[in-house]
Short mmCIF file of all heavy atoms in Angstrom, two decimals:
data_model
loop_
_atom_site.label_atom_id
_atom_site.label_comp_id
_atom_site.label_asym_id
_atom_site.label_seq_id
_atom_site.Cartn_x
_atom_site.Cartn_y
_atom_site.Cartn_z
N VAL L 1 196.39 -70.55 144.69
CA VAL L 1 197.23 -70.42 143.50
C VAL L 1 197.24 -71.73 142.72
O VAL L 1 197.14 -71.74 141.49
CB VAL L 1 198.66 -70.00 143.89
CG1 VAL L 1 199.59 -70.08 142.68
CG2 VAL L 1 198.66 -68.58 144.46
N ALA L 2 197.38 -72.84 143.44
CA ALA L 2 197.39 -74.14 142.78
C ALA L 2 196.06 -74.40 142.06
O ALA L 2 196.04 -74.89 140.93
CB ALA L 2 197.66 -75.24 143.80
N ARG L 3 194.97 -74.03 142.70
CA ARG L 3 193.65 -74.23 142.10
C ARG L 3 193.48 -73.35 140.86
O ARG L 3 192.94 -73.80 139.85
CB ARG L 3 192.56 -73.92 143.13
CG ARG L 3 191.14 -74.16 142.63
CD ARG L 3 190.93 -75.57 142.18
NE ARG L 3 189.58 -75.80 141.72
CZ ARG L 3 189.26 -76.68 140.76
NH1 ARG L 3 190.21 -77.42 140.20
NH2 ARG L 3 188.01 -76.82 140.38
N ALA L 4 193.95 -72.11 140.95
CA ALA L 4 193.88 -71.22 139.79
C ALA L 4 194.69 -71.79 138.62
O ALA L 4 194.28 -71.69 137.46
CB ALA L 4 194.38 -69.83 140.16
N GLY L 5 195.82 -72.41 138.94
CA GLY L 5 196.62 -73.04 137.91
C GLY L 5 195.90 -74.22 137.28
O GLY L 5 195.93 -74.41 136.06
N GLU L 6 195.23 -75.03 138.11
CA GLU L 6 194.47 -76.18 137.60
C GLU L 6 193.35 -75.72 136.67
O GLU L 6 192.99 -76.43 135.73
CB GLU L 6 193.88 -76.96 138.77
CG GLU L 6 194.92 -77.67 139.63
CD GLU L 6 194.30 -78.25 140.89
OE1 GLU L 6 193.08 -78.05 141.10
OE2 GLU L 6 195.03 -78.92 141.66
N LEU L 7 192.82 -74.55 136.93
CA LEU L 7 191.74 -74.01 136.11
C LEU L 7 192.25 -73.34 134.83
O LEU L 7 191.47 -72.82 134.04
CB LEU L 7 190.93 -73.00 136.92
CG LEU L 7 190.15 -73.57 138.11
CD1 LEU L 7 189.54 -72.44 138.94
CD2 LEU L 7 189.05 -74.52 137.63
N GLY L 8 193.57 -73.35 134.65
CA GLY L 8 194.16 -72.77 133.44
C GLY L 8 194.23 -71.26 133.45
O GLY L 8 194.32 -70.64 132.39
N LEU L 9 194.22 -70.67 134.64
CA LEU L 9 194.19 -69.22 134.74
C LEU L 9 195.58 -68.61 134.95
O LEU L 9 195.71 -67.39 135.00
CB LEU L 9 193.27 -68.80 135.89
CG LEU L 9 191.82 -69.25 135.76
CD1 LEU L 9 191.02 -68.85 137.00
CD2 LEU L 9 191.18 -68.65 134.51
N LEU L 10 196.59 -69.46 135.09
CA LEU L 10 197.95 -68.99 135.31
C LEU L 10 198.90 -69.60 134.29
O LEU L 10 198.86 -70.80 134.05
CB LEU L 10 198.43 -69.34 136.72
CG LEU L 10 197.69 -68.69 137.89
CD1 LEU L 10 198.17 -69.29 139.21
CD2 LEU L 10 197.86 -67.19 137.89
N ASP L 11 199.71 -68.75 133.67
CA ASP L 11 200.71 -69.21 132.71
C ASP L 11 201.91 -68.27 132.83
O ASP L 11 201.93 -67.20 132.22
CB ASP L 11 200.14 -69.18 131.28
CG ASP L 11 201.10 -69.77 130.25
OD1 ASP L 11 202.32 -69.77 130.51
OD2 ASP L 11 200.62 -70.20 129.18
N ASP L 12 202.88 -68.66 133.64
CA ASP L 12 204.00 -67.77 133.93
C ASP L 12 204.80 -67.41 132.69
O ASP L 12 205.27 -66.27 132.56
CB ASP L 12 204.91 -68.41 134.97
CG ASP L 12 204.41 -68.20 136.39
OD1 ASP L 12 203.27 -67.71 136.55
OD2 ASP L 12 205.15 -68.52 137.34
N ALA L 13 205.00 -68.36 131.80
CA ALA L 13 205.80 -68.09 130.60
C ALA L 13 205.11 -67.04 129.72
O ALA L 13 205.74 -66.09 129.23
CB ALA L 13 206.03 -69.37 129.82
N ALA L 14 203.80 -67.21 129.52
CA ALA L 14 203.06 -66.25 128.70
C ALA L 14 203.00 -64.88 129.39
O ALA L 14 203.13 -63.85 128.73
CB ALA L 14 201.65 -66.77 128.44
N PHE L 15 202.81 -64.91 130.71
CA PHE L 15 202.79 -63.65 131.46
C PHE L 15 204.12 -62.93 131.31
O PHE L 15 204.17 -61.71 131.10
CB PHE L 15 202.51 -63.93 132.93
CG PHE L 15 202.61 -62.70 133.81
CD1 PHE L 15 201.50 -61.90 134.02
CD2 PHE L 15 203.81 -62.35 134.41
CE1 PHE L 15 201.59 -60.76 134.82
CE2 PHE L 15 203.91 -61.23 135.22
CZ PHE L 15 202.80 -60.42 135.41
N ALA L 16 205.22 -63.67 131.43
CA ALA L 16 206.55 -63.07 131.34
C ALA L 16 206.78 -62.45 129.97
O ALA L 16 207.34 -61.35 129.86
CB ALA L 16 207.62 -64.13 131.62
N ARG L 17 206.33 -63.12 128.91
CA ARG L 17 206.51 -62.57 127.56
C ARG L 17 205.74 -61.26 127.38
O ARG L 17 206.26 -60.28 126.84
CB ARG L 17 206.06 -63.60 126.51
CG ARG L 17 206.99 -64.79 126.38
CD ARG L 17 206.66 -65.60 125.13
NE ARG L 17 205.32 -66.17 125.18
CZ ARG L 17 205.04 -67.37 125.70
NH1 ARG L 17 206.00 -68.09 126.23
NH2 ARG L 17 203.80 -67.84 125.69
N ARG L 18 204.49 -61.25 127.85
CA ARG L 18 203.68 -60.03 127.72
C ARG L 18 204.25 -58.90 128.56
O ARG L 18 204.34 -57.75 128.11
CB ARG L 18 202.23 -60.31 128.13
CG ARG L 18 201.47 -61.20 127.16
CD ARG L 18 199.99 -61.21 127.49
NE ARG L 18 199.72 -61.82 128.79
CZ ARG L 18 199.49 -63.12 128.96
NH1 ARG L 18 199.53 -63.96 127.94
NH2 ARG L 18 199.23 -63.60 130.16
N ARG L 19 204.64 -59.22 129.79
CA ARG L 19 205.18 -58.20 130.68
C ARG L 19 206.49 -57.63 130.14
O ARG L 19 206.71 -56.41 130.16
CB ARG L 19 205.40 -58.81 132.07
CG ARG L 19 205.99 -57.87 133.10
CD ARG L 19 205.01 -56.80 133.51
NE ARG L 19 205.59 -55.92 134.52
CZ ARG L 19 204.98 -54.84 134.99
NH1 ARG L 19 203.79 -54.50 134.54
NH2 ARG L 19 205.57 -54.09 135.90
N ALA L 20 207.35 -58.49 129.66
CA ALA L 20 208.64 -58.04 129.13
C ALA L 20 208.45 -57.14 127.91
O ALA L 20 209.13 -56.11 127.77
CB ALA L 20 209.50 -59.25 128.77
N ALA L 21 207.55 -57.53 127.02
CA ALA L 21 207.30 -56.71 125.83
C ALA L 21 206.75 -55.34 126.20
O ALA L 21 207.11 -54.32 125.61
CB ALA L 21 206.33 -57.44 124.90
N GLU L 22 205.88 -55.33 127.21
CA GLU L 22 205.31 -54.05 127.68
C GLU L 22 206.41 -53.16 128.25
O GLU L 22 206.44 -51.95 127.98
CB GLU L 22 204.25 -54.33 128.76
CG GLU L 22 203.66 -53.09 129.39
CD GLU L 22 202.76 -53.39 130.56
OE1 GLU L 22 202.50 -54.58 130.83
OE2 GLU L 22 202.30 -52.43 131.22
N LEU L 23 207.31 -53.74 129.04
CA LEU L 23 208.38 -52.95 129.64
C LEU L 23 209.37 -52.45 128.59
O LEU L 23 209.92 -51.34 128.71
CB LEU L 23 209.11 -53.78 130.69
CG LEU L 23 208.27 -54.14 131.93
CD1 LEU L 23 209.03 -55.10 132.83
CD2 LEU L 23 207.90 -52.89 132.71
N LEU L 24 209.60 -53.24 127.57
CA LEU L 24 210.47 -52.79 126.48
C LEU L 24 209.87 -51.58 125.78
O LEU L 24 210.58 -50.62 125.45
CB LEU L 24 210.70 -53.93 125.48
CG LEU L 24 211.62 -53.60 124.31
CD1 LEU L 24 213.02 -53.23 124.79
CD2 LEU L 24 211.69 -54.77 123.33
N ARG L 25 208.55 -51.61 125.57
CA ARG L 25 207.88 -50.45 124.95
C ARG L 25 208.01 -49.21 125.84
O ARG L 25 207.98 -48.09 125.34
CB ARG L 25 206.40 -50.76 124.69
CG ARG L 25 206.16 -51.79 123.58
CD ARG L 25 204.71 -51.81 123.15
NE ARG L 25 203.84 -52.26 124.21
CZ ARG L 25 203.54 -53.54 124.44
NH1 ARG L 25 204.05 -54.48 123.67
NH2 ARG L 25 202.72 -53.88 125.42
N LYS L 26 208.14 -49.43 127.14
CA LYS L 26 208.29 -48.31 128.07
C LYS L 26 209.76 -47.91 128.24
O LYS L 26 210.10 -47.15 129.14
CB LYS L 26 207.71 -48.69 129.44
CG LYS L 26 206.19 -48.85 129.41
CD LYS L 26 205.65 -49.20 130.80
CE LYS L 26 204.13 -49.29 130.78
NZ LYS L 26 203.58 -49.66 132.12
N ARG L 27 210.60 -48.44 127.37
CA ARG L 27 212.03 -48.09 127.33
C ARG L 27 212.79 -48.53 128.59
O ARG L 27 213.64 -47.80 129.09
CB ARG L 27 212.22 -46.60 127.07
CG ARG L 27 211.58 -46.14 125.77
CD ARG L 27 211.89 -44.67 125.48
NE ARG L 27 211.25 -44.26 124.25
CZ ARG L 27 210.00 -43.81 124.16
NH1 ARG L 27 209.27 -43.69 125.27
NH2 ARG L 27 209.47 -43.46 123.01
N LYS L 28 212.45 -49.71 129.09
CA LYS L 28 213.19 -50.26 130.20
C LYS L 28 214.40 -51.04 129.67
O LYS L 28 214.36 -51.61 128.58
CB LYS L 28 212.31 -51.19 131.04
CG LYS L 28 211.09 -50.51 131.64
CD LYS L 28 211.46 -49.42 132.61
CE LYS L 28 210.24 -48.79 133.26
NZ LYS L 28 210.60 -47.71 134.20
N SER L 29 215.45 -51.08 130.45
CA SER L 29 216.65 -51.80 130.06
C SER L 29 216.47 -53.30 130.26
O SER L 29 215.54 -53.75 130.93
CB SER L 29 217.86 -51.31 130.87
OG SER L 29 217.73 -51.72 132.23
N ARG L 30 217.40 -54.05 129.70
CA ARG L 30 217.38 -55.50 129.87
C ARG L 30 217.39 -55.87 131.36
O ARG L 30 216.64 -56.73 131.80
CB ARG L 30 218.61 -56.10 129.17
CG ARG L 30 218.74 -57.60 129.26
CD ARG L 30 220.13 -58.03 128.81
NE ARG L 30 220.34 -57.73 127.41
CZ ARG L 30 220.38 -58.64 126.44
NH1 ARG L 30 220.23 -59.92 126.73
NH2 ARG L 30 220.59 -58.30 125.19
N ARG L 31 218.28 -55.23 132.12
CA ARG L 31 218.38 -55.54 133.55
C ARG L 31 217.10 -55.17 134.30
O ARG L 31 216.65 -55.91 135.17
CB ARG L 31 219.57 -54.80 134.17
CG ARG L 31 219.89 -55.27 135.59
CD ARG L 31 221.12 -54.57 136.12
NE ARG L 31 220.83 -53.19 136.50
CZ ARG L 31 221.76 -52.31 136.86
NH1 ARG L 31 223.03 -52.65 136.84
NH2 ARG L 31 221.42 -51.09 137.21
#
């Protein structure tokens, strides 16, 4: 995981934004 991060393949903040937007489109609640 650390090596993947060093290679620029992991970005938790960007992943969270994309995942949250996808779940909102699927009519998921805030919680």
